[in-house]
Amino acid sequence: MNIVITGASRGIGKAIAEKFAQEGHNLLLCSQSAHALYQTLEELQLTYPRLVIKARPADLSNKNEVLKFAEWVTHELKNFPTGKIDIIVNNAGRYSPGQVYNEPEGTLEEMININLYAAYNLTRALVPKMIEQRGGYIFNICSIASIQPYKNGGSYGISKFALLGFTKNLREEMKEFGVRVTAILPGAVYTDSWIGSGLPQERFISAQDIASTIFNCSQLSASATVEDIVIRPQDGDI
């Protein structure tokens, strides 16, 4: 399979890339940080030299860069086995803490741009190929904040509620084309944003848990759809 993953240079996105590469699948990756992305690319190419793995930096909060990345994906697929887009993982996102009534001006726009519009615009650019193929799988990395407001969530929570709504609408639209759409709603995952929090690693979900969940969903028969997956730490939300 050929897998498109955004936000792939670290954390959940990198774990997803590593899992699919481990299982023998080709990758098209992007991340805002060129240095971290190319470092990830080098690691994957050294470990899995027989796979086709490509990467391109992109700031997906910028619509023009989203469209350029989509054009690049379409062009690069000509050199990939089958030339299909089998899976899109809309993982790119950002968290800015704050409360609606006092967070900095522009926070909502920032959160909507990266946490909603990035997935919306990339999906719109690439899904016609899936429709033409009559198949494919789209995973949107939402958040527990998509269904559970919390005090310091502010515009982040608003943007993740919106991403879940987009996912549900897209799922209904894609049924007739054989394209499956799943929302992943993780609680606290042990990534860079939590390192230094003082909490033990065992208190968190691992990024590998998310990666394994997505991979396992992708292996189901075409007649089965997993709609929404909520994954929380065993001892409850943080």
Side-chain angles (χ1 to χ4, degrees), residues 168-186:
K168 290 179 178 293
N169 276 277
L170 183 66
R171 182 185 302 130
E172 290 303 310
E173 295 173 1
M174 291 296 107
K175 284 180 178 178
E176 64 180 293
F177 304 114
V179 178
R180 294 177 288 173
V181 183
T182 295
I184 306 294
L185 292 79

Side-chain angles (χ1 to χ4, degrees), residues 96-111 155:
S96 289
Q99 301 180 65
V100 170
Y101 76 94
N102 64 5
E103 62 191 3
E105 185 69 29
T107 300
L108 178 59
E109 291 82 355
E110 176 193 0
M111 293 293 94
S155 288

Side-chain angles (χ1 to χ4, degrees), residues 72-215:
W72 174 85
V73 167
T74 302
H75 174 76
E76 289 294 330
L77 279 170
K78 297 174 184 177
N79 301 315
F80 277 60
T82 75
K84 295 170 60 179
I85 302 176
D86 295 292
I87 294 175
I88 301 170
V89 182
N90 286 309
N91 169 68
R94 191 174 303 145
Y95 170 66
S96 289
Q99 301 180 65
V100 170
Y101 76 94
N102 64 5
E103 62 191 3
E105 185 69 29
T107 300
L108 178 59
E109 291 82 355
E110 176 193 0
M111 293 293 94
I112 291 291
N113 281 340
I114 185 61
N115 294 336
L116 174 64
Y117 288 163
Y120 174 84
N121 289 321
L122 184 62
T123 299
R124 279 171 53 88
L126 295 180
V127 81
K129 188 168 181 63
M130 286 184 162
I131 292 173
E132 180 184 336
Q133 297 165 183
R134 305 293 298 185
Y137 213 136
I138 300 170
F139 292 93
N140 289 336
I141 307 301
C142 298
S143 168
I144 202 67
S146 297
I147 56 172
Q148 178 63 56
Y150 58 95
K151 186 175 181 180
N152 213 33
S155 288
Y156 173 79
I158 295 170
S159 68
K160 289 296 188 176
F161 263 87
L163 181 61
L164 180 59
F166 162 62
T167 306
K168 290 179 178 293
N169 276 277
L170 183 66
R171 182 185 302 130
E172 290 303 310
E173 295 173 1
M174 291 296 107
K175 284 180 178 178
E176 64 180 293
F177 304 114
V179 178
R180 294 177 288 173
V181 183
T182 295
I184 306 294
L185 292 79
V189 180
Y190 194 72
T191 58
D192 290 350
S193 59
W194 285 104
I195 294 174
S197 66
L199 294 171
Q201 187 172 344
E202 297 76 23
R203 185 66 178 81
F204 298 85
I205 306 161
S206 75
Q208 290 71 30
D209 290 330
I210 307 301
S212 294
T213 298
I214 289 175
F215 177 78

Side-chain angles (χ1 to χ4, degrees), residues 39-68:
Q39 186 174 43
T40 295
L41 175 63
E42 182 179 3
E43 292 172 6
L44 291 170
Q45 287 179 325
L46 287 172
T47 307
Y48 307 101
R50 295 185 179 182
L51 299 181
V52 183
I53 305 174
K54 300 289 184 179
R56 184 184 191 277
D59 177 2
L60 298 189
S61 66
N62 182 312
K63 182 178 180 179
N64 288 333
E65 292 204 31
V66 174
L67 298 180
K68 288 179 181 177

